[in-house]
Amino acid sequence: MKENMQVQLASTPESQPQPEHFALVKGVMPQAGDQQVLCETLYLSLDPYMRSQIAGRHMSGSVNPGDVMRGETVSKVIESNHADFNVGDVVRCFAGWQNYSVHDGDSIFKVKKEIDNPSYALSALGMPGLTAYAGMIWQAQPKAGDVVVIPAAIGGVGSVAGQLAKIHGCTVIGIAGTDEKCDYAVKNLGYDACINRKKGDLGEQLDALCPNGIDIFFDLVGGEMLNTVSERLAVGARVILCGLMADYNKTTRSMGPPPAMWIKARAIVYGLVVYDFEPRRAEFVDACVNYINEGKLIVREDVAQGLAAAPEAFCRLMRGENMGKAVVKV
Amino acid sequence: MKENMQVQLASTPESQPQPEHFALVKGVMPQAGDQQVLCETLYLSLDPYMRSQIAGRHMSGSVNPGDVMRGETVSKVIESNHADFNVGDVVRCFAGWQNYSVHDGDSIFKVKKEIDNPSYALSALGMPGLTAYAGMIWQAQPKAGDVVVIPAAIGGVGSVAGQLAKIHGCTVIGIAGTDEKCDYAVKNLGYDACINRKKGDLGEQLDALCPNGIDIFFDLVGGEMLNTVSERLAVGARVILCGLMADYNKTTRSMGPPPAMWIKARAIVYGLVVYDFEPRRAEFVDACVNYINEGKLIVREDVAQGLAAAPEAFCRLMRGENMGKAVVKV
């Protein structure tokens, strides 16, 4: 008989999560009821926001010790009691960190046929891509010549945001945590430059690269970096507030930049929550499928093999050691 | 012969400015050159941003000890070598804190004939009014039913912003520093409620008055109040960053709210600098002249008599003791 292996939260980490904060357990095999479908997980997305869920601070709810870790997946329908879904359909759903899950028809979504590689529905053509598209295209509205700064330059959101800005004729400066990532950003993703934030003074390097100030900052980090960048905004700048990586492993929240910086720049600052843009997902997928097919949008995934590898892969993500969007092939 | 009395900065205050930080001196009588006009000051505007100029922190430049204090005035042309201006014309200009000033033709602007009371060109129909109009109407775009919070509720900017929000069908909650001001805001300006920030806990009072959160915050204060309000924003909130009263008498700058608050609210935050909206001044004056004539926009000015009274009037403004827009009848 099939087994439903699960990864549960074992204990709440106080700072950097370690594999021992998670436990691989044999869960109950779920049964599809009336109007429900049973799904087998193909790919699991690992995302920084999960650190907030573990800490009990995320708007989508908390994950407590003993709970199965939550997360978006690409899954295959293996049993269907719902007229809209057939066995074999590939769907997006929030199955969590486990092999099998049951869903109502309104909480699963067929992966578009145009998406050849199903894991892409979790990366560049999924939630991270939609986040990048919403913030960069719908909110920041890049113009040719804008100077754009992208932290986590090659991560799931950042890599798409940066490439979208390049497609729109911007000068794009990345920030990443290793020379290897910086090289990849410039050589493969087309960034004009990429700063290793662990080498030298970030402010001085930004001053040198952006002598006329920064027009768009897609913030995925918060903390001191948001401050450093906000001091260097050009008049008319747009700042997308989207992630708080700098705070995820802390118990306190960093304050934001002094408002004077944003007044001086006449900045428009947008709080971005990707769920709000779900109604416009098709528009984004259509655009980005084309960019991928045209070779304008390079997708890189950091794929861990097997559910048992998920905890370590998540810890690597939280240490910034992933190269590309973190995904688990379950 | 006429005397050009001036108020100069005598020394830079470290915290609250006092009258002894200023000196009344007899300056040189200026002479109008070719293509210039000589003006006599009628009214001088006193504004919080002047505290920043004294501190050397304002984007418009610094005022150092020995300099004549700067400021916008309504003045009368008393001698003209410029074809566009005649003796007797009433104009807006930046004459500063003195009786007489000389200007080129491109730095003075005739006060519109529709403005009956010339001092209004410095208050509700002048820079503070334009600031309020730009932030509330052009940036925040109030909708009927929005819950709007206005600090410095009866001040030069706040009083206009609050009344504009009422005209657009919003629920408007003021914040002020005395019961007298709060009474005036509710009884005369039509605010739905006004909180005395010196009595009780501001957060709790906002929770009681705004159970569904705050849709628009027109920030004139910064500091802790911006934090307290940002924690209580409704989804889709707009925040106008416009003034930093809380910081003007300090040597350090307050940090802003944790970005998580703005992300959670999907807030759009605008840095507002009124100079950017100068090209749209006529549109604003036309709208607000009508509101005043219809009795929908009440203008209150706190008028000091004579240039010698300006330092004390400015110190009162910085202590929050003015009732309405601070102006000096020179």
XYZ file of all heavy atoms in Angstrom, chain B residues 19-82:
488
model
N 12.545 83.018 21.285
C 12.680 84.331 20.617
C 14.121 84.836 20.589
O 14.524 85.500 19.626
C 11.768 85.233 21.462
C 10.720 84.309 21.997
C 11.429 83.001 22.247
N 14.934 84.499 21.612
C 16.312 85.009 21.621
C 17.207 84.369 20.568
O 18.341 84.805 20.367
C 16.948 84.857 23.019
C 16.932 83.453 23.574
C 15.714 83.197 24.463
O 14.640 83.786 24.202
O 15.835 82.380 25.395
N 16.694 83.335 19.886
C 17.459 82.791 18.759
C 17.359 83.686 17.517
O 17.965 83.385 16.489
C 16.987 81.370 18.420
C 17.313 80.366 19.469
N 16.357 79.721 20.214
C 18.514 79.904 19.929
C 16.941 78.890 21.078
N 18.242 78.989 20.922
N 16.549 84.731 17.618
C 16.321 85.618 16.467
C 16.705 87.044 16.854
O 16.717 87.393 18.033
C 14.843 85.576 16.065
C 14.374 84.182 15.730
C 13.895 83.324 16.720
C 14.440 83.715 14.428
C 13.483 82.035 16.422
C 14.030 82.413 14.118
C 13.549 81.579 15.115
N 17.009 87.869 15.859
C 17.356 89.268 16.133
C 16.655 90.175 15.130
O 16.658 89.896 13.928
C 18.865 89.452 16.044
N 16.048 91.250 15.630
C 15.422 92.246 14.757
C 16.473 93.301 14.443
O 17.011 93.927 15.358
C 14.226 92.880 15.486
C 13.344 93.823 14.666
C 12.538 93.062 13.620
C 12.416 94.599 15.597
N 16.809 93.449 13.184
C 17.892 94.371 12.820
C 17.433 95.280 11.680
O 16.470 94.972 10.966
C 19.163 93.607 12.345
C 19.691 92.702 13.453
C 18.866 92.804 11.096
N 18.129 96.408 11.532
C 17.828 97.327 10.445
C 18.687 96.930 9.253
O 19.919 97.021 9.336
C 18.136 98.757 10.891
C 17.310 99.799 10.180
C 17.386 101.125 10.876
C 18.436 102.010 10.209
N 18.481 103.343 10.901
N 18.075 96.447 8.199
C 18.834 96.005 7.043
C 18.988 97.103 6.012
O 18.471 98.217 6.177
N 19.680 96.804 4.962
C 19.854 97.738 3.845
C 18.552 97.822 3.067
O 17.850 96.815 2.902
C 20.988 97.232 2.931
C 21.118 98.098 1.685
C 22.297 97.188 3.708
N 18.180 99.005 2.603
C 16.990 99.156 1.771
C 17.360 98.688 0.360
O 18.275 99.233 -0.259
C 16.582 100.628 1.753
C 15.291 100.884 1.031
S 13.847 100.252 1.959
C 12.622 100.378 0.650
N 16.695 97.639 -0.142
C 17.109 97.132 -1.458
C 16.649 98.057 -2.589
O 15.693 98.828 -2.435
C 16.400 95.780 -1.531
C 15.223 95.889 -0.630
C 15.568 96.880 0.443
N 17.335 97.990 -3.710
C 17.035 98.830 -4.878
C 16.641 97.921 -6.047
O 17.322 96.951 -6.323
C 18.282 99.625 -5.302
C 18.920 100.455 -4.200
C 18.102 101.673 -3.836
O 17.407 102.242 -4.700
N 18.132 102.072 -2.566
N 15.552 98.299 -6.721
C 15.118 97.520 -7.874
C 15.985 97.860 -9.075
O 16.073 99.027 -9.463
C 13.653 97.804 -8.186
N 16.639 96.835 -9.656
C 17.427 97.055 -10.853
C 16.569 96.911 -12.102
O 15.337 96.865 -12.026
N 17.238 96.823 -13.217
C 16.552 96.660 -14.494
C 15.757 95.351 -14.487
O 16.250 94.328 -14.012
C 17.604 96.644 -15.614
C 16.937 96.689 -16.981
O 15.892 97.370 -17.122
O 17.459 96.006 -17.897
N 14.518 95.393 -14.986
C 13.657 94.205 -15.055
C 13.300 93.649 -13.666
O 12.901 92.490 -13.544
C 14.295 93.065 -15.887
C 14.605 93.456 -17.297
C 13.342 93.811 -18.078
O 12.321 93.149 -17.980
N 13.395 94.912 -18.828
N 13.453 94.476 -12.631
C 13.128 94.028 -11.279
C 12.011 94.869 -10.676
O 11.684 95.945 -11.179
C 14.369 94.119 -10.376
C 15.427 93.070 -10.718
C 16.544 93.050 -9.719
O 17.012 94.092 -9.272
N 16.987 91.850 -9.372
N 11.439 94.356 -9.592
C 10.417 95.126 -8.864
C 10.812 95.197 -7.386
O 11.449 94.289 -6.855
C 9.003 94.495 -8.982
C 8.535 94.462 -10.421
C 8.964 93.114 -8.373
N 10.418 96.303 -6.761
C 10.588 96.466 -5.322
C 9.240 96.189 -4.661
O 8.216 96.740 -5.091
C 11.053 97.889 -5.007
C 11.201 98.232 -3.513
C 12.304 97.417 -2.844
C 11.460 99.739 -3.330
N 9.235 95.325 -3.651
C 7.988 94.936 -2.995
C 8.014 95.299 -1.514
O 9.071 95.246 -0.870
C 7.780 93.424 -3.101
S 7.448 92.853 -4.764
N 6.824 95.625 -1.005
C 6.659 95.832 0.429
C 5.875 94.642 0.979
O 4.831 94.279 0.430
C 5.888 97.137 0.676
C 5.700 97.407 2.138
C 5.015 98.756 2.387
O 4.619 99.432 1.395
O 4.862 99.117 3.565
N 6.358 94.049 2.030
C 5.727 92.841 2.572
C 4.416 93.191 3.284
O 4.394 94.086 4.145
C 6.674 92.159 3.570
O 7.935 91.967 2.929
C 6.104 90.807 4.007
N 3.357 92.481 2.927
C 2.072 92.651 3.617
C 1.886 91.563 4.674
O 1.579 91.840 5.822
C 0.915 92.589 2.614
C 0.935 93.615 1.473
C -0.271 93.382 0.549
C 0.926 95.039 2.016
N 2.053 90.303 4.243
C 1.865 89.157 5.148
C 3.030 88.189 4.971
O 3.481 87.961 3.848
C 0.568 88.396 4.831
C -0.680 89.144 5.183
C -1.331 89.938 4.233
C -1.226 89.054 6.465
C -2.485 90.623 4.549
C -2.391 89.743 6.790
C -3.016 90.528 5.826
O -4.155 91.206 6.139
N 3.459 87.618 6.065
C 4.530 86.619 6.061
C 3.956 85.310 6.578
O 3.261 85.277 7.595
C 5.663 87.081 6.990
C 6.693 86.023 7.422
C 7.533 85.549 6.239
C 7.603 86.590 8.533
N 4.235 84.236 5.870
C 3.799 82.904 6.289
C 4.831 82.293 7.235
O 6.035 82.338 6.970
C 3.653 82.017 5.047
O 3.286 80.706 5.431
N 4.368 81.724 8.349
C 5.257 80.973 9.245
C 4.905 79.497 9.135
O 3.731 79.129 9.270
C 5.076 81.443 10.699
C 5.414 82.909 10.968
C 5.153 83.240 12.439
C 6.862 83.225 10.594
N 5.902 78.666 8.868
C 5.639 77.248 8.586
C 6.640 76.351 9.298
O 7.804 76.721 9.471
C 5.744 76.998 7.074
C 4.718 77.803 6.303
O 3.562 77.378 6.257
O 5.082 78.881 5.779
N 6.187 75.136 9.656
C 7.086 74.201 10.358
C 8.379 73.893 9.598
O 9.412 73.671 10.224
C 6.221 72.938 10.510
C 4.812 73.447 10.540
C 4.807 74.618 9.593
N 8.334 73.915 8.265
C 9.553 73.546 7.526
C 10.709 74.500 7.826
O 11.882 74.164 7.616
C 9.284 73.486 6.014
C 9.168 74.819 5.337
C 10.300 75.532 4.918
C 7.927 75.400 5.095
C 10.202 76.764 4.304
C 7.812 76.630 4.477
C 8.947 77.318 4.082
O 8.842 78.540 3.474
N 10.382 75.715 8.318
C 11.446 76.681 8.626
C 12.374 76.151 9.721
O 13.551 76.510 9.770
C 10.833 78.015 9.061
C 10.080 78.700 7.930
S 9.079 80.077 8.530
C 8.576 80.796 6.938
N 11.823 75.300 10.591
C 12.656 74.711 11.640
C 13.757 73.843 11.025
O 14.885 73.813 11.517
C 11.778 73.884 12.593
C 12.538 73.254 13.744
C 13.076 74.328 14.687
N 13.933 73.797 15.760
C 15.228 73.533 15.621
N 15.828 73.713 14.449
N 15.932 73.083 16.643
N 13.400 73.157 9.923
C 14.382 72.354 9.194
C 15.426 73.224 8.513
O 16.598 72.860 8.449
C 13.690 71.546 8.100
O 13.216 70.342 8.567
N 14.984 74.355 7.968
C 15.946 75.260 7.317
C 16.978 75.754 8.324
O 18.175 75.803 8.043
C 15.208 76.453 6.704
C 14.395 76.106 5.469
C 13.727 77.318 4.866
O 13.316 78.239 5.579
N 13.586 77.327 3.546
N 16.497 76.123 9.513
C 17.405 76.597 10.569
C 18.396 75.504 10.953
O 19.564 75.768 11.241
C 16.594 77.001 11.825
C 15.703 78.206 11.538
C 17.528 77.296 12.991
C 14.783 78.539 12.707
N 17.897 74.254 10.945
C 18.751 73.132 11.349
C 19.693 72.712 10.226
O 20.559 71.866 10.425
C 17.889 71.949 11.771
N 19.509 73.291 9.038
C 20.370 72.938 7.914
C 20.004 71.625 7.261
O 20.819 71.004 6.600
N 18.751 71.230 7.447
C 18.342 69.905 6.959
C 17.264 69.969 5.889
O 16.713 68.943 5.519
C 17.758 69.083 8.135
C 18.762 68.396 8.985
C 18.078 67.330 9.831
N 17.010 67.877 10.658
C 17.048 67.961 11.980
N 18.079 67.528 12.630
N 16.034 68.461 12.658
N 16.904 71.155 5.419
C 15.777 71.221 4.478
C 16.270 71.234 3.044
O 17.321 71.795 2.736
C 14.928 72.466 4.755
C 13.553 72.369 4.154
N 13.198 72.988 2.986
C 12.464 71.678 4.563
C 11.930 72.695 2.708
N 11.458 71.908 3.643
N 15.487 70.587 2.165
C 15.921 70.467 0.777
C 16.004 71.821 0.076
O 16.680 71.953 -0.919
C 14.986 69.524 0.004
C 13.578 70.019 -0.125
S 12.567 68.877 -1.111
C 12.435 67.493 0.012
N 15.291 72.836 0.610
C 15.307 74.150 -0.042
C 16.533 74.955 0.363
O 16.739 76.066 -0.128
C 14.040 74.914 0.334
O 14.041 75.181 1.724
N 17.333 74.442 1.282
C 18.541 75.147 1.700
C 18.507 75.504 3.171
O 17.508 75.282 3.851
N 19.608 76.067 3.644
C 19.782 76.316 5.075
C 19.707 77.803 5.385
O 19.991 78.655 4.543
C 21.144 75.805 5.529
O 21.282 74.443 5.226
N 19.339 78.110 6.632
C 19.435 79.472 7.160
C 20.456 79.423 8.294
O 20.284 78.674 9.257
C 18.061 79.955 7.681
C 18.218 81.299 8.394
C 17.065 80.067 6.537
N 21.530 80.208 8.145
C 22.596 80.203 9.146
C 22.542 81.479 9.984
O 21.932 82.472 9.557
C 23.952 80.112 8.436
C 24.087 78.794 7.690
O 23.875 77.731 8.267
N 24.399 78.862 6.404
N 23.153 81.474 11.163
C 23.174 82.689 11.978
C 23.682 83.874 11.159
O 24.680 83.763 10.439
C 24.129 82.327 13.131
C 23.954 80.843 13.277
C 23.788 80.340 11.869
N 22.989 85.007 11.257
C 23.338 86.189 10.464
C 22.527 86.307 9.186
O 22.458 87.375 8.582
N 21.899 85.213 8.757
C 21.045 85.256 7.556
C 19.667 85.804 7.929
O 19.156 85.561 9.023
C 20.817 83.848 6.982
C 22.078 83.251 6.365
O 23.044 84.009 6.137
O 22.074 82.025 6.123
N 19.061 86.513 6.976
C 17.654 86.878 7.127
C 16.831 85.596 7.030
O 17.079 84.751 6.174
C 17.224 87.875 6.020
C 15.733 88.213 6.148
C 18.069 89.141 6.107
N 15.873 85.444 7.934
C 14.982 84.283 7.876
C 14.238 84.290 6.542
O 13.834 85.333 6.043
C 13.974 84.334 9.029
C 14.582 84.051 10.396
S 15.132 82.318 10.558
C 13.550 81.460 10.493
N 14.080 83.093 5.978
C 13.395 82.983 4.695
C 11.925 82.668 4.905
O 11.516 82.198 5.971
C 14.077 81.877 3.884
C 15.489 82.291 3.500
C 16.378 81.122 3.197
N 15.910 80.401 2.024
C 16.613 79.459 1.402
N 17.821 79.133 1.848
N 16.145 78.853 0.355
N 11.123 82.965 3.899
C 9.706 82.631 4.030
C 8.900 83.227 2.900
O 9.310 84.192 2.242
N 7.760 82.633 2.681
C 6.879 83.126 1.628
C 6.051 84.293 2.164
O 5.645 84.305 3.332
C 5.956 82.006 1.142
C 5.305 82.369 -0.182
C 4.393 81.281 -0.748
O 3.858 80.481 0.043
O 4.223 81.257 -1.970
N 5.790 85.231 1.281
C 5.035 86.420 1.682
C 4.003 86.782 0.616
O 4.089 86.354 -0.533
C 5.969 87.649 1.831
O 6.571 87.907 0.547
C 7.063 87.389 2.852
N 3.015 87.559 1.055
C 2.212 88.312 0.097
C 2.700 89.750 0.197
O 2.765 90.314 1.303
C 0.715 88.192 0.414
C -0.076 89.230 -0.359
C 0.224 86.792 0.074
N 3.084 90.299 -0.912
C 3.722 91.617 -0.924
C 3.039 92.516 -1.953
O 2.331 92.043 -2.835
C 5.213 91.469 -1.271
O 5.881 90.654 -0.317
N 3.305 93.812 -1.815
C 2.732 94.775 -2.771
C 3.863 95.396 -3.573
O 4.883 95.801 -2.995
C 1.957 95.865 -2.017
C 1.134 96.754 -2.932
C 0.044 97.484 -2.181
C 0.661 98.557 -1.303
N -0.406 99.351 -0.625
N 3.679 95.468 -4.874
C 4.691 96.099 -5.723
C 4.642 97.607 -5.485
O 3.584 98.232 -5.611
C 4.433 95.780 -7.214
C 5.408 96.542 -8.113
C 4.530 94.265 -7.457
N 5.797 98.182 -5.072
C 5.806 99.639 -4.831
C 6.710 100.373 -5.829
O 6.732 101.594 -5.885
C 6.206 99.988 -3.376
C 7.583 99.413 -3.020
C 5.143 99.518 -2.395
C 8.103 99.939 -1.673
N 7.421 99.607 -6.630
C 8.248 100.222 -7.676
C 8.493 99.119 -8.700
O 8.799 97.992 -8.319
C 9.585 100.663 -7.052
C 10.371 101.657 -7.889
C 11.745 101.925 -7.226
O 11.773 102.199 -6.000
O 12.756 101.792 -7.938
N 8.303 99.418 -9.984
C 8.440 98.351 -10.973
C 9.260 98.780 -12.167
O 8.980 99.812 -12.795
C 7.047 97.887 -11.451
O 7.211 96.906 -12.465
N 10.278 98.006 -12.477
C 11.037 98.164 -13.728
C 10.762 96.981 -14.654
O 11.578 96.656 -15.508
C 12.540 98.245 -13.428
C 12.876 99.435 -12.560
O 12.225 100.478 -12.634
N 13.893 99.276 -11.712
N 9.619 96.336 -14.442
C 9.293 95.134 -15.216
C 7.922 95.337 -15.851
O 6.956 95.702 -15.176
C 9.277 93.914 -14.297
C 9.253 92.608 -15.038
N 8.167 92.191 -15.768
C 10.209 91.635 -15.160
C 8.440 91.009 -16.320
N 9.683 90.666 -15.974
